Amino acid sequence: MGFKFKEKYGNFIGGKFVAPVDGQYFDNISPVNGKVLCQIPRSNEKISN
């Protein structure tokens, strides 16, 4: 039994996860087996504004 990842994560800002401003995500690939672990935000400078 391994760690259970959520399907998708947001940016961790102010103590909570928030969706990326542009709504874009990319796959977080395991280096062990090449499988997708989850999706993580494709953030940019807009997140800080």
Side-chain angles (χ1 to χ4, degrees):
M1 184 166 116
F3 182 79
K4 300 274 185 185
F5 287 95
K6 292 181 184 180
E7 183 177 320
K8 191 182 284 187
Y9 287 88
N11 293 295
F12 194 72
I13 300 173
K16 58 185 172 183
F17 287 102
V18 294
V21 174
D22 290 338
Q24 295 180 335
Y25 293 84
F26 63 96
D27 292 339
N28 183 15
I29 308 292
S30 168
V32 175
N33 59 17
K35 293 184 179 182
V36 175
L37 296 173
C38 61
Q39 290 190 315
I40 53 180
R42 184 171 297 281
S43 301
N44 56 42
E45 69 280 352
K46 293 179 187 175
I47 195 71
S48 63
N49 295 329

